[in-house]
Amino acid sequence: MADLYFVVGSPVAHSLSPAMMTAAFEKIGRSAAYGRLEVGSADWPGVSRDLYERGVCGLNVTVPHKESALRIAADATPVARAIGAANTLLRGPSGWSADNTDGPGFLDRLRDSGAMDAVAAGALVLGAGGSARAIVWALREAGCPRIRIAARTSARAHGIARAFPDATVDVEPEGGTAPEGGVVVNCTPLGLGPDDPLPIGRGRLHPAAHVFDLVYPVTGLVRAAGDAGIPAEHGLELLVAQGARSFRAWTGVEAPVAVMREAIVRELDRRGFPRE
């Protein structure tokens, strides 16, 4: 019988994780099935229990459940506890075990993209959900001297600031302004829809040295940054980076990263999405 895994959240219809993870399991010869589950906030606690009782081996957790995924877990890694959110659940002996691969995955992207120098000039984080918590953790780990959070819900943004008392984390009005020579990270879902507005005004974007958008494949924010001559990347590489870490946590096997990336590209092509 195949091991069962799911990506769980709302929305998840757009998720490329099934293509990526299925290819990875096939590459290592593991009999596994990986699917999507659309689950709203009210249903999530019960669904998470049902999935555990059904013998599901692992979950990737996306918006809006990352913070509650940590709360429902029987235990958690130090990274997940430090971030205050979980995007990966592993089957444990008495319940789900929580991990967070978003933060370490983004730290990988900062290094691999050559953005570490820009981080030294400060950062603006757009959004205040579970993903934003992971990004703030990674920026702190990267030595960012000042992190600013701009979010629709200021109370949640202030909650993140309080969670990292050893870092300079300030809360700004929604939209914010890019730091001179620093990085901007979009952790909002704006960009999933073709008619979505930009999460930051074009005029407020141009001082930045590097832009990251957690949404994929290509968003208005990434295009606007490109028009302003600012290096930018959408969320595909971060999806691979955090997915590889989840895969290793589940299987104990080093993830076939190239295979995972190729599977995403094929799926984007199948859906007719531009990749650049």
Side-chain angles (χ1 to χ4, degrees):
M1 183 176 178
D3 294 337
L4 294 178
Y5 299 84
F6 293 94
V7 56
V8 183
S10 183
V12 291
H14 69 288
S15 177
L16 300 174
S17 292
M20 175 178 71
M21 292 301 193
T22 297
F25 284 124
E26 289 176 351
K27 179 64 178 179
I28 70 166
R30 179 73 59 92
S31 178
Y34 186 108
R36 299 181 188 87
L37 279 180
E38 182 86 16
V39 180
S41 296
D43 296 327
W44 161 240
V47 170
S48 67
R49 288 192 298 271
D50 290 345
L51 292 174
Y52 182 83
E53 291 169 2
R54 283 174 51 190
V56 170
C57 297
L59 301 176
N60 283 135
V61 182
T62 187
V63 292
H65 306 315
K66 293 186 179 185
E67 291 168 83
S68 60
L70 180 63
R71 292 193 295 270
I72 62 97
D75 60 76
T77 64
V79 170
R81 292 195 186 281
I83 291 171
N87 74 318
T88 302
L89 295 178
L90 303 78
R91 185 174 188 80
S94 58
W96 292 116
S97 180
D99 195 3
N100 192 303
T101 66
D102 282 335
F106 185 66
L107 199 53
D108 292 342
R109 289 309 308 146
L110 288 174
R111 295 174 180 134
D112 294 346
S113 66
M116 292 296 282
D117 288 344
V119 167
L124 172 65
V125 176
L126 304 171
S131 294
R133 284 178 170 270
I135 297 306
V136 170
W137 176 89
L139 289 166
R140 185 194 63 172
E141 292 293 305
C144 187
R146 184 187 179 201
I147 304 165
R148 291 149 46 206
I149 305 172
R152 181 179 57 189
T153 308
S154 63
R156 297 193 73 185
H158 282 290
I160 296 177
R162 289 192 297 271
F164 297 94
D166 58 336
T168 303
V169 182
D170 302 318
V171 177
E172 298 205 345
E174 185 177 5
T177 300
E180 185 73 37
V183 300
V184 175
V185 188
N186 178 36
C187 302
T188 78
L190 289 176
L192 283 174
D195 300 321
D196 283 356
L198 295 181
I200 181 174
R202 288 177 181 268
R204 296 179 172 185
L205 181 62
H206 94 163
H210 209 110
V211 170
F212 295 90
D213 196 337
L214 303 195
V215 180
Y216 55 83
V218 181
T219 66
L221 177 61
V222 169
R223 291 194 180 97
D227 291 344
I230 303 168
E233 68 173 61
H234 55 74
L236 187 151
E237 290 298 336
L238 177 59
L239 176 66
V240 174
Q242 62 82 23
R245 287 175 172 271
S246 294
F247 186 85
R248 186 166 66 241
W250 288 332
T251 66
V253 176
E254 202 65 34
V257 172
V259 169
M260 296 166 77
R261 184 180 294 109
E262 289 166 5
I264 291 174
V265 170
R266 286 195 303 272
E267 182 63 13
L268 287 174
D269 289 342
R270 187 188 71 80
R271 298 186 191 187
F273 283 118
R275 286 181 271 122
E276 302 296 338

